[in-house]
């Protein structure tokens, strides 16, 4: 059974930083591209970032603009998202997601591939 458990969210002031973590289990983590997606109440999910299975190729949504860094540790089955220069509009639930074979790395995977999420709130 695929399990993805996120942590590291919280309340931060604008301009602050957070590092999100995702612990993966139940599948061959090192074989899969992984993504971060975010969702706010009343809006559809939004793709944030993707990293390939080897950890050497990463992509980001245009709104990131150099503020976020995705990384992974295949030895520990961990995925990370370092978020700097946070803005109020970054407020959302952040989910790590396994990218199914054959799926576009730029699309939002179906929710059965997500973890339960960690809430990020950016507010003064």
């Amino acid at each position: 059974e695929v399990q993805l458990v996120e942590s590291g969210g919280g309340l931060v002031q604008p301009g602050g930083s957070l590092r999100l973590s995702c612990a993966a289990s139940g599948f061959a983590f090192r074989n899969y591209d992984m993504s971060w997606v975010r969702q706010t109440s009343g809006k559809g999910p939004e793709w944030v970032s993707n990293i390939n299975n080897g950890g050497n190729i990463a992509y980001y949504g245009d709104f990131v603009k150099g503020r976020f860094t995705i990384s992974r540790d295949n030895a520990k089955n961990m995925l990370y998202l370092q978020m700097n220069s946070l803005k109020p509009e970054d407020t959302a639930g952040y989910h790590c997601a396994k990218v199914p074979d054959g799926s576009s790395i730029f699309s939002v995977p179906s929710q059965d591939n997500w973890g339960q999420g960690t809430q990020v709130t950016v507010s003064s």
Side-chain angles (χ1 to χ4, degrees):
E1 179 188 0
V2 172
Q3 284 203 326
L4 298 166
V5 180
E6 300 91 338
S7 60
L11 173 64
V12 64
Q13 293 187 340
S17 298
L18 284 173
R19 188 192 194 209
L20 306 184
S21 299
C22 171
S25 62
F27 67 103
F29 179 75
R30 67 178 63 247
N31 291 344
Y32 285 88
D33 297 347
M34 296 291 296
S35 291
W36 285 96
V37 301
R38 67 185 187 183
Q39 187 166 26
T40 56
S41 57
K43 285 183 64 177
E46 181 176 38
W47 176 80
V48 176
S49 180
N50 173 274
I51 189 167
N52 72 328
N53 61 331
N56 61 324
I57 301 174
Y59 298 97
Y60 301 92
D62 289 343
F63 59 87
V64 170
K65 294 182 180 178
R67 299 183 297 126
F68 296 178
T69 302
I70 190 172
S71 62
R72 65 192 294 165
D73 185 336
N74 285 342
K76 297 181 179 179
N77 285 0
M78 294 292 296
L79 179 72
Y80 304 101
L81 186 68
Q82 176 67 44
M83 303 189 297
N84 300 327
S85 302
L86 282 162
K87 305 175 182 180
E89 51 264 43
D90 294 318
T91 295
Y94 283 74
H95 303 260
C96 65
K98 169 178 168 280
V99 180
D101 290 335
S103 297
S104 168
I105 62 174
F106 301 110
S107 63
V108 175
S110 58
Q111 288 198 3
D112 56 338
N113 292 292
W114 297 11
Q116 87 290 345
T118 186
Q119 179 66 32
V120 171
T121 302
V122 185
S123 175
S124 55

